[in-house]
Amino acid sequence: MTDVQQKLTAALGRVPYARFLGVHAELKGDELTLILPFADHLVGNPLLPALHGGVVGALMELTALTQLSIASKSEKFPKTIDIGVDYLRSGRPVDTFARARVVKIGRRVANVQAEAWQSDRANPIAAMHGHFLVPESDAG
């Protein structure tokens, strides 16, 4: 495990909701993927069954925050200002993956997009767009 991978694992371990979800990170080069292993407590609608929308939204927000931490080379997580989530299809009871793209890092605010998918990345289950407050000492 690389030094960056260890820092990511430690950073996610400090986020209680990430621990509850069981999210872990995989870093290959500059590409960060957060993985949400399926668990029964993540189901929002047991009749379908489908993942809870809040779980999918939280996965993408965590992905955006983690990707932004890497891009800004900060030890601190940025703070969320606002996010918008588009739910594109129902999340099945299988593992879910998410990646984020930092569109722009300003002096104080960063703009990040993320998407989540399951078996096929070309068919995302949700997309997110958000604004995040970059820690002042790390703003560039």
Side-chain angles (χ1 to χ4, degrees), residues 24-70:
H24 61 276
E26 195 174 280
L27 187 63
K28 290 182 181 169
D30 290 343
E31 286 192 342
L32 170 74
T33 304
L34 258 56
I35 302 164
L36 173 71
F38 174 74
D40 287 334
H41 71 279
L42 304 178
V43 172
N45 184 341
L47 297 177
L48 294 178
L51 289 177
H52 192 282
V55 169
V56 176
L59 171 66
M60 291 189 297
E61 183 179 2
L62 282 170
T63 305
L65 288 167
T66 307
Q67 185 69 58
L68 186 54
S69 292
I70 292 170

Side-chain angles (χ1 to χ4, degrees), residues 8 30 38 58 65 69 72 87 107 121-122 128 131-132 136:
L8 285 172
D30 290 343
F38 174 74
L65 288 167
S69 292
S72 67
Y87 295 98
R107 267 185 0 103
R121 188 168 181 198
M128 185 213 81
H131 298 99
F132 299 89
E136 193 165 336

Side-chain angles (χ1 to χ4, degrees), residues 13-121:
R14 290 191 304 266
V15 180
Y17 198 56
R19 288 195 313 263
F20 171 76
L21 296 175
V23 172
H24 61 276
E26 195 174 280
L27 187 63
K28 290 182 181 169
D30 290 343
E31 286 192 342
L32 170 74
T33 304
L34 258 56
I35 302 164
L36 173 71
F38 174 74
D40 287 334
H41 71 279
L42 304 178
V43 172
N45 184 341
L47 297 177
L48 294 178
L51 289 177
H52 192 282
V55 169
V56 176
L59 171 66
M60 291 189 297
E61 183 179 2
L62 282 170
T63 305
L65 288 167
T66 307
Q67 185 69 58
L68 186 54
S69 292
I70 292 170
S72 67
K73 301 188 183 335
S74 173
E75 294 289 321
K76 301 177 198 170
F77 267 1
K79 295 186 185 323
T80 302
I81 296 172
D82 65 20
I83 62 170
V85 177
D86 294 326
Y87 295 98
L88 305 173
R89 48 186 59 83
S90 180
R92 292 174 286 115
V94 297
D95 293 353
T96 305
F97 307 90
R99 282 193 183 154
R101 181 175 74 91
V102 177
V103 177
K104 181 181 178 189
I105 301 177
R107 267 185 0 103
R108 298 284 297 145
V109 176
N111 186 311
V112 184
Q113 296 174 337
E115 67 180 24
W117 72 94
Q118 293 183 314
S119 59
D120 182 9
R121 188 168 181 198

